[in-house]
Amino acid sequence: MSHRLTLNRIEPVTHDTHHLVFDRPEGFEFTPGQAVDLALDREGWREEARPFTFVSLPGEAGLEFVIKSYPEHDGVTEQIGRMTPGDAVLIDEPWGAIRDEGAGTFIAGGAGVTPFVAVLRQRLQKEGTLEGCRLIFSNATEQDIILRDTFEGMTGLQTEFIVTDQQDPGPGVMAGRIDRAFLKDRVGQEAGRFYVCGPEPMIEDVTGALRDLGVEDDRIVVEDLD
């Protein structure tokens, strides 16, 4: 079933990322970490649906997304970034994606962090702390870090921010890559499960490195696109 959502609010998160708040259809249910295929409800764009993950929780009044614009791509995310209150989108039913399977290490690249937002928010709401959880978040530069203040403000969550295209980032951010050398001291049993989300090449590289370091497949959780 398709649902039509009206945009209530849009605000910048970073220089190329926006937080969008839509109304919520009556009876619409989803699980933290799930995504929907979303299309602009306007001529020429209704067939151009793209997957985006909710950052809101099931008990909240609206449906919220954090969406990064990629002007160099096909234009859908660029158009979304230009939306104004009153504009509408079409979404299908929520599907799979990452779900909470226990405390662990959350490894994200760029906008791939969005499934972790609701998962961590719900876990914090239920447990009162994110003790035992770590977020390793890679971006191109420090200004690309999405919701940094939000993550740093989550009680008990350890955060490690890493940038690939900036040699001298500011305090609390390191330069480098999430590769085998970076992960080798972070794969003990105390690290729990490894949740990995980001661009497909990154997912392949990180999961390959984890397996090479002896992490069992049942400790690796990746986005299910089936």
Side-chain angles (χ1 to χ4, degrees), residues 102-106 120 123 129-135 156-159:
T105 302
F106 295 78
L120 292 171
R123 190 169 188 82
T129 180
L130 290 174
E131 197 72 34
C133 292
R134 171 185 288 175
L135 173 67
L157 180 65
Q158 298 181 54
T159 56

Side-chain angles (χ1 to χ4, degrees), residues 198-211:
E200 193 63 33
M202 176 199 165
I203 294 176
E204 293 177 0
D205 289 347
V206 169
T207 56
L210 290 171
R211 293 186 178 104

